Tab-separated table of all heavy atoms in Angstrom:
chain	number	residue	atom	x	y	z
A	1	LEU	N	24.169	-29.110	166.410
A	1	LEU	CA	23.816	-28.179	165.336
A	1	LEU	C	24.897	-28.139	164.258
A	1	LEU	O	24.590	-28.056	163.060
A	1	LEU	CB	23.605	-26.775	165.912
A	1	LEU	CG	22.281	-26.507	166.626
A	1	LEU	CD1	22.343	-25.167	167.360
A	1	LEU	CD2	21.110	-26.521	165.652
A	2	LEU	N	26.164	-28.172	164.671
A	2	LEU	CA	27.256	-28.182	163.700
A	2	LEU	C	27.198	-29.427	162.821
A	2	LEU	O	27.380	-29.348	161.595
A	2	LEU	CB	28.608	-28.110	164.416
A	2	LEU	CG	28.932	-26.811	165.167
A	2	LEU	CD1	30.278	-26.937	165.876
A	2	LEU	CD2	28.944	-25.618	164.228
A	3	ASP	N	26.933	-30.572	163.436
A	3	ASP	CA	26.823	-31.824	162.669
A	3	ASP	C	25.631	-31.766	161.714
A	3	ASP	O	25.714	-32.210	160.561
A	3	ASP	CB	26.674	-33.016	163.615
A	3	ASP	CG	27.949	-33.315	164.389
A	3	ASP	OD1	29.025	-32.884	163.953
A	3	ASP	OD2	27.861	-33.987	165.446
A	4	GLN	N	24.528	-31.218	162.208
A	4	GLN	CA	23.319	-31.114	161.383
A	4	GLN	C	23.553	-30.213	160.185
A	4	GLN	O	23.077	-30.502	159.072
A	4	GLN	CB	22.183	-30.555	162.243
A	4	GLN	CG	20.867	-30.347	161.509
A	4	GLN	CD	19.821	-29.727	162.424
A	4	GLN	OE1	19.343	-30.362	163.354
A	4	GLN	NE2	19.490	-28.472	162.179
A	5	GLN	N	24.321	-29.128	160.378
A	5	GLN	CA	24.612	-28.229	159.261
A	5	GLN	C	25.394	-28.953	158.165
A	5	GLN	O	25.098	-28.806	156.975
A	5	GLN	CB	25.404	-27.009	159.761
A	5	GLN	CG	25.600	-25.910	158.720
A	5	GLN	CD	26.779	-26.155	157.784
A	5	GLN	OE1	27.804	-26.693	158.194
A	5	GLN	NE2	26.631	-25.749	156.519
A	6	LYS	N	26.371	-29.748	158.551
A	6	LYS	CA	27.165	-30.493	157.565
A	6	LYS	C	26.297	-31.491	156.806
A	6	LYS	O	26.406	-31.629	155.581
A	6	LYS	CB	28.316	-31.218	158.271
A	6	LYS	CG	29.381	-30.284	158.800
A	6	LYS	CD	30.468	-31.050	159.549
A	6	LYS	CE	31.518	-30.098	160.105
A	6	LYS	NZ	32.547	-30.805	160.900
A	7	GLU	N	25.429	-32.172	157.529
A	7	GLU	CA	24.538	-33.146	156.885
A	7	GLU	C	23.576	-32.453	155.928
A	7	GLU	O	23.337	-32.938	154.809
A	7	GLU	CB	23.762	-33.922	157.953
A	7	GLU	CG	24.639	-34.845	158.791
A	7	GLU	CD	23.909	-35.386	160.019
A	7	GLU	OE1	22.702	-35.070	160.182
A	7	GLU	OE2	24.544	-36.103	160.820
A	8	CYS	N	23.027	-31.325	156.350
A	8	CYS	CA	22.083	-30.601	155.499
A	8	CYS	C	22.779	-30.033	154.260
A	8	CYS	O	22.188	-30.013	153.172
A	8	CYS	CB	21.411	-29.475	156.286
A	8	CYS	SG	20.092	-30.047	157.372
A	9	PHE	N	24.020	-29.582	154.413
A	9	PHE	CA	24.742	-29.077	153.243
A	9	PHE	C	24.929	-30.192	152.212
A	9	PHE	O	24.691	-29.987	151.013
A	9	PHE	CB	26.102	-28.501	153.641
A	9	PHE	CG	26.901	-28.023	152.458
A	9	PHE	CD1	26.678	-26.771	151.903
A	9	PHE	CD2	27.852	-28.837	151.864
A	9	PHE	CE1	27.387	-26.336	150.787
A	9	PHE	CE2	28.567	-28.424	150.750
A	9	PHE	CZ	28.334	-27.166	150.208
A	10	ASP	N	25.346	-31.364	152.653
A	10	ASP	CA	25.532	-32.487	151.721
A	10	ASP	C	24.205	-32.872	151.063
A	10	ASP	O	24.155	-33.148	149.857
A	10	ASP	CB	26.114	-33.691	152.463
A	10	ASP	CG	27.576	-33.492	152.837
A	10	ASP	OD1	28.254	-32.682	152.180
A	10	ASP	OD2	28.036	-34.141	153.794
A	11	PHE	N	23.129	-32.867	151.848
A	11	PHE	CA	21.802	-33.182	151.324
A	11	PHE	C	21.384	-32.154	150.279
A	11	PHE	O	20.883	-32.495	149.198
A	11	PHE	CB	20.804	-33.242	152.480
A	11	PHE	CG	19.388	-33.513	152.083
A	11	PHE	CD1	19.069	-34.388	151.041
A	11	PHE	CD2	18.336	-32.907	152.758
A	11	PHE	CE1	17.749	-34.647	150.680
A	11	PHE	CE2	17.025	-33.149	152.409
A	11	PHE	CZ	16.732	-34.015	151.365
A	12	LEU	N	21.605	-30.867	150.600
A	12	LEU	CA	21.249	-29.798	149.668
A	12	LEU	C	22.076	-29.910	148.381
A	12	LEU	O	21.532	-29.791	147.273
A	12	LEU	CB	21.486	-28.438	150.325
A	12	LEU	CG	21.233	-27.201	149.451
A	12	LEU	CD1	19.778	-27.117	149.024
A	12	LEU	CD2	21.641	-25.926	150.202
A	13	LEU	N	23.361	-30.161	148.520
A	13	LEU	CA	24.235	-30.269	147.359
A	13	LEU	C	23.784	-31.387	146.430
A	13	LEU	O	23.636	-31.183	145.210
A	13	LEU	CB	25.674	-30.508	147.818
A	13	LEU	CG	26.737	-30.680	146.728
A	13	LEU	CD1	26.813	-29.448	145.832
A	13	LEU	CD2	28.096	-30.992	147.349
A	14	HIS	N	23.527	-32.551	146.978
A	14	HIS	CA	23.109	-33.687	146.150
A	14	HIS	C	21.729	-33.457	145.540
A	14	HIS	O	21.470	-33.840	144.390
A	14	HIS	CB	23.119	-34.969	146.985
A	14	HIS	CG	24.493	-35.332	147.477
A	14	HIS	ND1	24.725	-35.933	148.701
A	14	HIS	CD2	25.712	-35.151	146.906
A	14	HIS	CE1	26.026	-36.115	148.851
A	14	HIS	NE2	26.642	-35.643	147.786
A	15	SER	N	20.842	-32.812	146.294
A	15	SER	CA	19.498	-32.510	145.772
A	15	SER	C	19.571	-31.551	144.590
A	15	SER	O	18.905	-31.742	143.558
A	15	SER	CB	18.637	-31.883	146.874
A	15	SER	OG	18.477	-32.757	147.955
A	16	MET	N	20.409	-30.511	144.722
A	16	MET	CA	20.531	-29.532	143.651
A	16	MET	C	21.213	-30.137	142.425
A	16	MET	O	20.886	-29.787	141.283
A	16	MET	CB	21.318	-28.310	144.145
A	16	MET	CG	20.641	-27.542	145.280
A	16	MET	SD	19.004	-26.888	144.854
A	16	MET	CE	19.456	-25.536	143.789
A	17	GLU	N	22.135	-31.051	142.647
A	17	GLU	CA	22.780	-31.733	141.514
A	17	GLU	C	21.771	-32.565	140.730
A	17	GLU	O	21.816	-32.596	139.486
A	17	GLU	CB	23.923	-32.620	142.028
A	17	GLU	CG	25.156	-31.824	142.455
A	17	GLU	CD	26.225	-32.679	143.110
A	17	GLU	OE1	25.890	-33.808	143.561
A	17	GLU	OE2	27.372	-32.232	143.200
A	18	ARG	N	20.836	-33.201	141.425
A	18	ARG	CA	19.800	-33.991	140.729
A	18	ARG	C	18.864	-33.088	139.932
A	18	ARG	O	18.491	-33.404	138.796
A	18	ARG	CB	19.011	-34.826	141.743
A	18	ARG	CG	19.808	-36.005	142.311
A	18	ARG	CD	18.905	-36.986	143.026
A	18	ARG	NE	18.292	-36.406	144.220
A	18	ARG	CZ	18.846	-36.434	145.429
A	18	ARG	NH1	20.036	-36.988	145.608
A	18	ARG	NH2	18.224	-35.901	146.460
A	19	ILE	N	18.480	-31.956	140.529
A	19	ILE	CA	17.611	-31.019	139.816
A	19	ILE	C	18.340	-30.458	138.587
A	19	ILE	O	17.762	-30.343	137.497
A	19	ILE	CB	17.168	-29.870	140.747
A	19	ILE	CG1	16.317	-30.419	141.895
A	19	ILE	CG2	16.382	-28.809	139.977
A	19	ILE	CD1	15.962	-29.392	142.957
A	20	ALA	N	19.613	-30.121	138.766
A	20	ALA	CA	20.400	-29.591	137.647
A	20	ALA	C	20.463	-30.593	136.503
A	20	ALA	O	20.314	-30.230	135.318
A	20	ALA	CB	21.813	-29.242	138.132
A	21	GLU	N	20.650	-31.846	136.829
A	21	GLU	CA	20.722	-32.888	135.798
A	21	GLU	C	19.397	-33.007	135.056
A	21	GLU	O	19.367	-33.157	133.832
A	21	GLU	CB	21.092	-34.216	136.450
A	21	GLU	CG	21.303	-35.346	135.454
A	21	GLU	CD	21.736	-36.637	136.121
A	21	GLU	OE1	22.033	-36.622	137.329
A	21	GLU	OE2	21.756	-37.672	135.424
A	22	ASP	N	18.300	-32.911	135.795
A	22	ASP	CA	16.971	-33.055	135.180
A	22	ASP	C	16.606	-31.869	134.288
A	22	ASP	O	15.808	-32.023	133.350
A	22	ASP	CB	15.903	-33.224	136.264
A	22	ASP	CG	16.030	-34.549	137.002
A	22	ASP	OD1	16.726	-35.448	136.484
A	22	ASP	OD2	15.456	-34.677	138.105
A	23	PHE	N	17.165	-30.688	134.569
A	23	PHE	CA	16.765	-29.486	133.827
A	23	PHE	C	17.899	-28.935	132.956
A	23	PHE	O	17.815	-27.797	132.480
A	23	PHE	CB	16.278	-28.408	134.799
A	23	PHE	CG	14.911	-28.705	135.375
A	23	PHE	CD1	14.785	-29.451	136.543
A	23	PHE	CD2	13.767	-28.267	134.743
A	23	PHE	CE1	13.548	-29.737	137.081
A	23	PHE	CE2	12.515	-28.540	135.273
A	23	PHE	CZ	12.399	-29.288	136.441
A	24	GLY	N	18.936	-29.710	132.749
A	24	GLY	CA	20.013	-29.278	131.867
A	24	GLY	C	20.845	-28.138	132.422
A	24	GLY	O	21.393	-27.340	131.651
A	25	GLU	N	20.936	-28.055	133.741
A	25	GLU	CA	21.756	-27.027	134.386
A	25	GLU	C	22.910	-27.706	135.126
A	25	GLU	O	23.113	-28.905	134.986
A	25	GLU	CB	20.904	-26.189	135.356
A	25	GLU	CG	19.749	-25.443	134.701
A	25	GLU	CD	20.217	-24.313	133.780
A	25	GLU	OE1	21.423	-23.983	133.777
A	25	GLU	OE2	19.379	-23.758	133.041
A	26	ARG	N	23.640	-26.949	135.914
A	26	ARG	CA	24.714	-27.554	136.685
A	26	ARG	C	24.899	-26.814	138.003
A	26	ARG	O	24.533	-25.634	138.141
A	26	ARG	CB	26.023	-27.547	135.903
A	26	ARG	CG	26.669	-26.192	135.731
A	26	ARG	CD	27.915	-26.260	134.858
A	26	ARG	NE	28.643	-24.994	134.855
A	26	ARG	CZ	29.608	-24.682	135.707
A	26	ARG	NH1	29.962	-25.555	136.653
A	26	ARG	NH2	30.231	-23.522	135.641
A	27	VAL	N	25.480	-27.510	138.970
A	27	VAL	CA	25.856	-26.904	140.246
A	27	VAL	C	27.329	-26.543	140.164
A	27	VAL	O	28.155	-27.366	139.763
A	27	VAL	CB	25.595	-27.874	141.421
A	27	VAL	CG1	26.156	-27.311	142.719
A	27	VAL	CG2	24.098	-28.145	141.562
A	28	PHE	N	27.667	-25.322	140.505
A	28	PHE	CA	29.059	-24.881	140.454
A	28	PHE	C	29.899	-25.720	141.419
A	28	PHE	O	29.457	-26.044	142.531
A	28	PHE	CB	29.173	-23.406	140.843
A	28	PHE	CG	28.629	-22.435	139.822
A	28	PHE	CD1	27.463	-22.708	139.110
A	28	PHE	CD2	29.271	-21.238	139.590
A	28	PHE	CE1	26.952	-21.810	138.181
A	28	PHE	CE2	28.779	-20.329	138.669
A	28	PHE	CZ	27.617	-20.618	137.960
A	29	TYR	N	31.115	-26.004	141.006
A	29	TYR	CA	32.008	-26.816	141.822
A	29	TYR	C	32.732	-25.903	142.818
A	29	TYR	O	33.854	-25.457	142.602
A	29	TYR	CB	33.010	-27.556	140.934
A	29	TYR	CG	34.012	-28.397	141.695
A	29	TYR	CD1	33.592	-29.349	142.623
A	29	TYR	CD2	35.378	-28.224	141.490
A	29	TYR	CE1	34.512	-30.113	143.331
A	29	TYR	CE2	36.309	-28.985	142.186
A	29	TYR	CZ	35.861	-29.920	143.113
A	29	TYR	OH	36.782	-30.671	143.812
A	30	THR	N	32.057	-25.609	143.920
A	30	THR	CA	32.613	-24.665	144.905
A	30	THR	C	32.682	-25.246	146.311
A	30	THR	O	33.153	-24.562	147.226
A	30	THR	CB	31.753	-23.382	144.965
A	30	THR	OG1	30.407	-23.733	145.305
A	30	THR	CG2	31.760	-22.654	143.626
A	31	SER	N	32.252	-26.477	146.495
A	31	SER	CA	32.150	-27.026	147.853
A	31	SER	C	33.509	-27.193	148.527
A	31	SER	O	33.586	-27.289	149.751
A	31	SER	CB	31.408	-28.365	147.841
A	31	SER	OG	32.047	-29.297	147.008
A	32	ARG	N	34.595	-27.190	147.751
A	32	ARG	CA	35.919	-27.310	148.375
A	32	ARG	C	36.326	-26.009	149.067
A	32	ARG	O	37.270	-25.996	149.871
A	32	ARG	CB	36.968	-27.696	147.325
A	32	ARG	CG	37.262	-26.618	146.295
A	32	ARG	CD	38.037	-27.168	145.106
A	32	ARG	NE	38.474	-26.125	144.190
A	32	ARG	CZ	37.683	-25.536	143.302
A	32	ARG	NH1	36.400	-25.878	143.232
A	32	ARG	NH2	38.163	-24.606	142.486
A	33	GLY	N	35.622	-24.908	148.765
A	33	GLY	CA	35.955	-23.629	149.387
A	33	GLY	C	34.778	-22.927	150.021
A	33	GLY	O	34.913	-21.821	150.558
A	34	ASN	N	33.606	-23.545	149.964
A	34	ASN	CA	32.407	-22.962	150.555
A	34	ASN	C	31.470	-24.102	150.945
A	34	ASN	O	30.909	-24.763	150.063
A	34	ASN	CB	31.722	-22.017	149.562
A	34	ASN	CG	30.622	-21.192	150.205
A	34	ASN	OD1	29.975	-21.631	151.153
A	34	ASN	ND2	30.413	-19.991	149.683
A	35	ARG	N	31.328	-24.325	152.247
A	35	ARG	CA	30.510	-25.445	152.733
A	35	ARG	C	29.210	-24.955	153.366
A	35	ARG	O	28.633	-25.621	154.225
A	35	ARG	CB	31.300	-26.271	153.746
A	35	ARG	CG	32.576	-26.902	153.207
A	35	ARG	CD	32.301	-28.058	152.274
A	35	ARG	NE	31.604	-29.158	152.939
A	35	ARG	CZ	31.155	-30.240	152.317
A	35	ARG	NH1	31.300	-30.360	150.993
A	35	ARG	NH2	30.544	-31.196	152.987
A	36	ILE	N	28.750	-23.797	152.916
A	36	ILE	CA	27.469	-23.267	153.385
A	36	ILE	C	26.558	-22.944	152.202
A	36	ILE	O	25.403	-23.336	152.164
A	36	ILE	CB	27.666	-22.009	154.252
A	36	ILE	CG1	28.492	-22.340	155.508
A	36	ILE	CG2	26.312	-21.419	154.665
A	36	ILE	CD1	28.890	-21.127	156.326
A	37	SER	N	27.112	-22.235	151.208
A	37	SER	CA	26.321	-21.741	150.085
A	37	SER	C	26.636	-22.521	148.809
A	37	SER	O	27.747	-23.017	148.617
A	37	SER	CB	26.615	-20.249	149.875
A	37	SER	OG	25.919	-19.737	148.770
A	38	ILE	N	25.622	-22.622	147.930
A	38	ILE	CA	25.731	-23.363	146.674
A	38	ILE	C	25.205	-22.481	145.542
A	38	ILE	O	24.206	-21.763	145.716
A	38	ILE	CB	24.902	-24.670	146.737
A	38	ILE	CG1	25.515	-25.640	147.748
A	38	ILE	CG2	24.775	-25.328	145.368
A	38	ILE	CD1	24.630	-26.816	148.086
A	39	ALA	N	25.872	-22.543	144.386
A	39	ALA	CA	25.420	-21.801	143.198
A	39	ALA	C	24.895	-22.784	142.153
A	39	ALA	O	25.558	-23.767	141.819
A	39	ALA	CB	26.554	-20.970	142.617
A	40	PHE	N	23.695	-22.484	141.635
A	40	PHE	CA	22.982	-23.340	140.680
A	40	PHE	C	22.778	-22.536	139.409
A	40	PHE	O	22.178	-21.453	139.434
A	40	PHE	CB	21.643	-23.752	141.308
A	40	PHE	CG	20.735	-24.570	140.442
A	40	PHE	CD1	20.743	-25.958	140.517
A	40	PHE	CD2	19.835	-23.958	139.580
A	40	PHE	CE1	19.879	-26.716	139.743
A	40	PHE	CE2	18.969	-24.710	138.788
A	40	PHE	CZ	18.998	-26.100	138.873
A	41	SER	N	23.277	-23.022	138.284
A	41	SER	CA	23.216	-22.244	137.041
A	41	SER	C	21.785	-22.091	136.528
A	41	SER	O	20.939	-22.967	136.714
A	41	SER	CB	24.069	-22.911	135.960
A	41	SER	OG	23.430	-24.059	135.435
A	42	LEU	N	21.550	-20.942	135.902
A	42	LEU	CA	20.292	-20.675	135.185
A	42	LEU	C	20.668	-20.268	133.763
A	42	LEU	O	20.340	-19.190	133.273
A	42	LEU	CB	19.501	-19.566	135.886
A	42	LEU	CG	19.065	-19.847	137.331
A	42	LEU	CD1	18.455	-18.606	137.957
A	42	LEU	CD2	18.068	-21.014	137.382
């Protein structure tokens, strides 16, 4: 489960970065201090 969480976080991060690029938004650069939650600009 711990390994799966890390894999899913990386998957989520990259997915949100692609969506942000497509819609002119950005993902906050917080993964160095938070490996669970992600902030996506609106």
Side-chain angles (χ1 to χ4, degrees):
L1 282 169
L2 293 177
D3 290 340
Q4 178 183 291
Q5 188 277 325
K6 290 177 181 177
E7 292 168 2
C8 282
F9 178 82
D10 288 337
F11 178 37
L12 177 63
L13 179 59
H14 297 146
S15 299
M16 297 300 286
E17 286 173 341
R18 288 194 295 271
I19 296 173
E21 185 177 351
D22 292 344
F23 286 89
E25 299 292 351
R26 71 184 188 91
V27 173
F28 289 39
Y29 178 54
T30 58
S31 58
R32 68 194 187 282
N34 191 330
R35 299 288 298 174
I36 298 172
S37 178
I38 293 168
F40 177 95
S41 75
L42 299 173

